[in-house]
Amino acid sequence: MRIKGINQVIAIVICAMVVFSCDKNKKGLTQEDVEIFKESLDDEGEESQVLEEIQQVDVVSEEKESAWQNAINRQELIEAIKTSYQEGLSASDYYYKDILKQEERYGQLSEQEKQEYYKLLSKSFKKYFSHLFYGKVNYKSLNKDWDIDRKAVDVDRVLQRAIDSTEVRKSLRGAIPQHTHYQELKKALAYFQARIGKDGKDIEINDNIYLMSEHPEMINIKKKLKLWDDSERIDTVKAEYNQAIIPAIKRFQDKHCIEANGIINYETVKALNVSMKTRMEQVMANLERWRWFPRSFGREYLLINIPEYQLYYYKDGKVIRKHKIVVGKENRQTPVMTSKIAYIVLNPTWTVPETILMEDYLPEMKKDHNYLRNKGINIYKDNGSDVKTLVDPKEWNADKPLAYKYIQQPSKDNVLGEVKFIFANNHFVYLHDTNQRWYFDKVNRDLSSGCIRLENAIELGMDLSTKLMNYLAKNDLDEVERVSINFDTDARTNIVILYYTAWGTNDGVKFRPDVYNLDSKVYKFLSQ
């Protein structure tokens, strides 16, 4: 078994227990800390990777293994594995056929064969529980920069309790996320699974189709639309686009991040042509992502969904605020992570990141040494200390660009706008205002270099910090000197940056573009 380095590495093997190691720079988790069925995001949260080696470690004693003699335990495990497809997982991963064969001939098994069978059952339980609790796919295999804070759980302890108390099914259910979004995605998964192969032929149009017009593809459009909408008002006989089906068209558009104007355009047809099988795979990928995250994000948190380009401020289970955001483009992706807001900076300075400097600014600076000065960005000699020496652009050495720091002072034209939110992470990513507020009018907003730009950022800042709100009540930013000031937040608000292209709501599942092309990768790993 691989063990990752941490400040305190704990690897305890006592009789029948293995306690997993955690990410570095975190305190170790004792068994007393372990919550079996409930998990919350707190200051001492642990990240735990699901290691494939768990299946190869026989840590349950023979005395405990013998609890599989109880037929109730065996039948509950078999039934749970049989229905694993409802979670977007595969029974074959949990030795389903081998277990059925052994169970069918249970009465004829020798004592040694029974012991081997019990070990197989334990192995199956642990693997299935781990996949439900942590996910089957190691998210680091998709992006090593992602950083999701998770608590560890002693799977062997869970197994022992489950078989001792004949609550195998209950124990496995306890590993399943109970988020509303996850449960609605499960309903959608069943819906698509039942409709695979019923797609019909693809739709082809050259021009938009408008209300009260006829088009030869309308019958095919209606048939595909009926797969999504069970409304009895959708007829599949006439080639006319009439008032009866416009509500269904608009609902479909809204579910797929298309302007819900009722016009059947290229984007609408493209979404209609996506097969039920592809949607099923997309839902399975998003169910898996939910399993990567803590079961609770805390009492108060900011939730950011990258493909949706939205931030939600939750408090006591309710959405207090909703903000449009701009996220990183595909080649400069915003990382998935969990963290906490540390403080808020009013009138921030901006230090040009190395990637932007080398890829965006340097070519222009070599043509015109005043390029940055014209943007209000000063060049400083990097002395390795807080003391900075201002450099005249004429004296800037283009052959040694990294020997300098490039800083934009606070102003209404600052790239970061008027406020930024600092949270601990290893990627120099933060949440901030912007001087390019027209970007929020765009539908697709994967436009930044990784940081998250926030619409109406000052309003969120005042909600999170009473001190900031009181300061702004007394000071007009357009009249006072713009100096950077740090403000504590009222609470250590969690921030959760997610990547969901499909999620459940009370109105059904909504889909968004896979801006970083990750769905197929997740599904590929799930299928292995």
Side-chain angles (χ1 to χ4, degrees), residues 292-516:
W292 296 342
F293 278 87
R295 296 301 183 260
S296 171
F297 299 138
R299 176 179 168 271
E300 179 178 337
Y301 59 94
L302 305 180
L303 187 149
I304 291 168
N305 186 19
I306 294 170
E308 191 186 4
Y309 311 121
Q310 292 284 354
L311 176 148
Y312 299 89
Y313 174 27
Y314 280 87
K315 198 169 186 178
D316 296 325
K318 297 180 180 179
V319 176
I320 304 300
R321 284 191 164 279
K322 181 179 177 181
H323 295 255
K324 291 181 180 179
I325 60 172
V326 173
V327 300
K329 58 191 76 172
E330 186 175 4
N331 65 334
R332 298 179 187 176
Q333 297 179 11
T334 296
V336 169
M337 70 173 75
T338 56
S339 188
K340 294 177 182 292
I341 301 295
Y343 59 94
I344 300 171
V345 182
L346 183 67
N347 295 322
T349 60
W350 179 54
T351 300
V352 179
E354 183 177 327
T355 300
I356 295 178
L357 172 69
M358 301 302 290
E359 296 181 11
D360 300 345
Y361 286 174
L362 188 58
E364 300 300 324
M365 293 168 67
K366 288 181 177 180
K367 298 176 190 175
D368 178 7
H369 281 207
N370 286 316
Y371 176 77
L372 289 188
R373 174 181 281 178
N374 295 336
K375 288 179 169 288
I377 300 173
N378 294 326
I379 303 174
Y380 296 90
K381 186 68 176 177
D382 188 357
N383 300 318
S385 66
D386 293 336
V387 179
K388 300 180 181 65
T389 303
L390 187 64
V391 175
D392 189 304
K394 296 178 181 177
E395 298 176 0
W396 172 73
N397 187 345
D399 295 328
K400 297 182 179 180
L402 298 181
Y404 306 88
K405 285 191 177 296
Y406 308 83
I407 301 174
Q408 187 178 37
Q409 296 303 315
S411 75
K412 63 180 181 180
D413 297 320
N414 187 285
V415 167
L416 303 184
E418 296 179 328
V419 65
K420 73 174 177 179
F421 303 76
I422 302 299
F423 49 92
N425 65 91
N426 298 317
H427 317 290
F428 303 104
V429 168
Y430 37 82
L431 188 66
H432 64 86
D433 187 18
T434 178
N435 63 341
Q436 298 174 314
R437 296 187 174 93
W438 59 87
Y439 276 16
F440 298 115
D441 295 329
K442 296 178 178 289
V443 175
N444 298 315
R445 298 191 292 276
D446 47 329
L447 305 167
S448 82
S449 291
C451 285
I452 303 161
R453 305 177 192 177
L454 176 68
E455 187 178 39
N456 301 321
I458 284 285
E459 294 179 13
L460 178 62
M462 290 191 293
D463 268 3
L464 296 180
S465 173
T466 302
K467 292 179 180 179
L468 174 60
M469 180 176 63
N470 292 338
Y471 177 87
L472 293 174
K474 299 175 182 178
N475 298 277
D476 186 334
L477 289 181
D478 291 329
E479 295 180 2
V480 299
E481 182 183 1
R482 289 188 178 265
V483 177
S484 292
I485 308 174
N486 296 346
F487 292 90
D488 293 331
T489 55
D490 297 341
R492 291 203 66 197
T493 305
N494 295 321
I495 181 167
V496 185
I497 304 176
L498 311 171
Y499 187 93
Y500 292 125
T501 60
W503 67 96
T505 70
N506 294 331
D507 298 322
V509 173
K510 295 196 173 186
F511 295 91
R512 290 297 180 264
D514 184 12
V515 292
Y516 296 160

Side-chain angles (χ1 to χ4, degrees), residues 66 69 106 108-118:
S66 65
Q69 291 177 357
Y106 183 77
Q108 288 76 48
L109 295 179
S110 67
E111 191 58 35
Q112 182 177 351
E113 287 173 328
K114 284 182 180 180
Q115 291 301 321
E116 292 302 316
Y117 179 33
Y118 299 155

Side-chain angles (χ1 to χ4, degrees), residues 11 74 130 231 273 280 421:
R74 302 198 305 274
S130 296
S231 173
N273 280 337
M280 178 197 73
F421 303 76

Side-chain angles (χ1 to χ4, degrees), residues 113-238:
E113 287 173 328
K114 284 182 180 180
Q115 291 301 321
E116 292 302 316
Y117 179 33
Y118 299 155
K119 289 181 180 180
L120 179 64
L121 293 169
S122 293
K123 188 176 178 181
S124 172
F125 178 97
K126 290 190 292 181
K127 189 176 183 183
Y128 189 34
F129 182 94
S130 296
H131 286 181
L132 289 173
F133 193 78
Y134 298 110
K136 175 181 176 180
V137 179
N138 183 347
Y139 68 86
K140 290 284 189 182
S141 64
L142 295 171
N143 193 317
K144 59 182 177 57
D145 291 331
W146 289 3
D147 188 12
I148 302 172
D149 200 8
R150 290 294 308 271
K151 273 188 175 179
V153 64
D154 186 344
V155 182
D156 295 290
R157 187 178 175 191
V158 175
L159 169 59
Q160 290 176 9
R161 288 185 176 183
I163 58 181
D164 283 350
S165 59
T166 60
E167 292 184 334
V168 169
R169 186 179 301 167
K170 181 179 178 181
S171 297
L172 290 169
R173 281 202 299 261
I176 298 171
Q178 297 303 311
H179 299 292
T180 299
H181 295 302
Y182 185 91
Q183 297 302 320
E184 290 297 324
L185 281 174
K186 282 179 62 175
K187 294 177 186 177
L189 178 62
Y191 189 89
F192 293 127
Q193 286 171 334
R195 287 162 176 76
I196 289 178
K198 299 181 179 180
D199 305 288
K201 65 178 184 179
D202 281 353
I203 304 163
E204 295 182 8
I205 63 171
N206 295 319
D207 299 302
N208 293 345
I209 303 176
Y210 296 92
L211 184 64
M212 304 311 293
S213 64
E214 290 191 2
H215 193 284
E217 286 282 15
M218 275 308 301
I219 293 176
N220 195 18
I221 289 172
K222 291 177 181 179
K223 287 180 178 179
K224 283 186 175 288
L225 194 62
K226 204 167 180 65
L227 283 173
W228 286 88
D229 198 306
D230 292 328
S231 173
E232 295 179 358
R233 301 190 68 184
I234 300 177
D235 75 84
T236 56
V237 179
K238 298 177 182 179

